[in-house]
Amino acid sequence: MSAVRLYVWQRLTATLMVPLIAVHLIVIIYATNRGLSAAEILGRTRGSIAWGLYYGLFVIAASIHGAIGVRGVAREWLGWREKALDRLMWIFGTILLVLGLRAVIAVVGT
Amino acid sequence: MSGAAETMIDVRVWRGAGEGEYQAFTVPRRDSQTVLDVVTWIQRHADPTLAYRFACRVGVCGSCAMTVNGRPRWTCRTHVSKVIEDGRLEIGPLANLPVIRDLAADMAPFFDKWQKAEGTFVPSRTRHEPLERISPESAERQAADAAIECINCGVCYAACDTVRWSPDYFGPAALNRSWSLVNDVRDAGNLERLAAAASNGGCHNCHSHQSCEQLCPKGLNPTASIAGLKRRTMQAYIRGEIT
Ligand code: SF4
Ligand code: SF4
Ligand code: FES
């Protein structure tokens, strides 16, 4: 994949994740400060379309961003060829996506 | 300085090509002595077979760059007093380039990459048309100005870790040149140039860690030029002009 396309997608997903990460951190602090139990948290997230969309988007953005990042590291540190790097990126990104979406389903699914 | 009171410098100079070793010389210290003076003294008084390169001796031609105590420098304008450490100088050929012999690095890959980065002017008018008038105040002219004084010395290229990690990377000088042409309103080759800047060897390799800017003897800032190329290639990509 061309360098500029990778660059644009990585910057785009980074920009998207800035507010997402902020909200994510606030939620963590809120939940721990309030001493919410796992059951209480699940009680609020289960069936919530808003939380599903929020964390779904987060997982997609993180998978794209992380996969492009790992591709870059492998390119410089391992000196792999472009084809192999693209394959690594897709495989790594898909794993992140599957794992992440499974977690989202576990949190918002009813 | 003269006679017994003469201060000496311990100089180690790289001898050989890819295979080789540092050879020790003792060179008299002089006032206002440059590193090139030291190398020239060795060749004239100690070993006439020492290979090195220089031409102008006044910081114009860009041919005298070497590695001095671990950093790339233009040796004709680098005073010994500025770089000497504990009375010692270690002088080697420029890094990130093949070595021809001793202190002479092979600059061919460096200049090949200027070609790959489309670092040549593409005229938009013929000789039969009148010269284009460019206002010195225009934003494009000033942007081109910032990158234009390069003497092709290769110091930035030798200073760049990314060149060392990614041998395909065009490097700071070629991309700095590309950026001055991108800002040249007379030039007609920008689409090809931006496509080259966005290719695998192009501007997106740069980590913006600024060794090039730190060591460029002309005080240029290739990092800023490369950041400019990242912006312009992104715009061109979003407009669908490059893929
Ligand atoms: S800023 Fe970019 S071009 Fe300059 S030394 Fe660092 S990686 Fe190389
Ligand atoms: S940008 Fe500076 S360091 Fe690099 S080749 Fe040009 S003058 Fe030398
Ligand atoms: S000899 Fe010309 S720049 Fe040093």
Side-chain angles (χ1 to χ4, degrees), chain A residues 1-5 7-9 11 75-76 82, chain B residues 165-166 198 200 204-205 207 230 233-234 237 243:
Chain A
M1 204 175 277
S2 82
V4 63
R5 181 179 297 179
Y7 179 83
V8 167
W9 277 98
R11 291 308 182 275
R75 182 167 188 266
E76 271 180 13
E82 295 299 315
Chain B
W165 295 327
S166 316
N200 277 329
H204 301 99
N205 287 276
H207 287 235
K230 286 180 181 171
T233 50
M234 184 155 81
Y237 172 77
T243 52

Side-chain angles (χ1 to χ4, degrees), chain B residues 36 54-64 74-77 151:
Chain B
L36 187 65
F54 75 97
C56 71
R57 294 177 295 122
V58 288
V60 175
C61 70
S63 56
C64 65
W74 56 349
T75 54
C76 71
R77 296 285 303 272
I151 56 169

Side-chain angles (χ1 to χ4, degrees), chain B residues 170-185:
Chain B
F170 300 154
L175 292 169
N176 185 65
R177 168 68 179 159
S178 160
W179 179 239
S180 60
L181 288 172
V182 163
N183 289 301
D184 190 332
V185 292

Side-chain angles (χ1 to χ4, degrees), chain A residues 66-79:
Chain A
I68 297 174
V70 165
R71 184 192 193 279
V73 173
R75 182 167 188 266
E76 271 180 13
W77 287 55
L78 307 175

Side-chain angles (χ1 to χ4, degrees), chain B residues 138-219:
Chain B
S138 70
E140 288 87 356
R141 183 64 187 86
Q142 286 184 358
D145 235 11
I148 220 163
E149 295 283 348
C150 174
I151 56 169
N152 313 358
C153 65
V155 161
C156 56
Y157 189 83
C160 178
D161 288 333
T162 309
V163 169
R164 193 169 73 233
W165 295 327
S166 316
D168 294 339
Y169 177 38
F170 300 154
L175 292 169
N176 185 65
R177 168 68 179 159
S178 160
W179 179 239
S180 60
L181 288 172
V182 163
N183 289 301
D184 190 332
V185 292
R186 304 164 306 162
D187 182 276
N190 263 347
L191 222 48
E192 292 77 14
R193 193 167 298 116
L194 288 176
S199 70
N200 277 329
C203 61
H204 301 99
N205 287 276
C206 170
H207 287 235
S208 313
H209 59 23
Q210 297 187 299
S211 311
C212 52
E213 187 260 344
Q214 193 76 41
L215 287 159
C216 171
K218 299 292 290 181

Side-chain angles (χ1 to χ4, degrees), chain B residues 1-9 27-33 80-81:
Chain B
M1 281 185 268
S2 66
E6 216 169 44
T7 323
M8 307 300 272
I9 319 169
V27 179
R29 183 85 172 84
R30 298 271 181 265
D31 287 338
S32 305
Q33 189 178 23
V80 169
S81 56

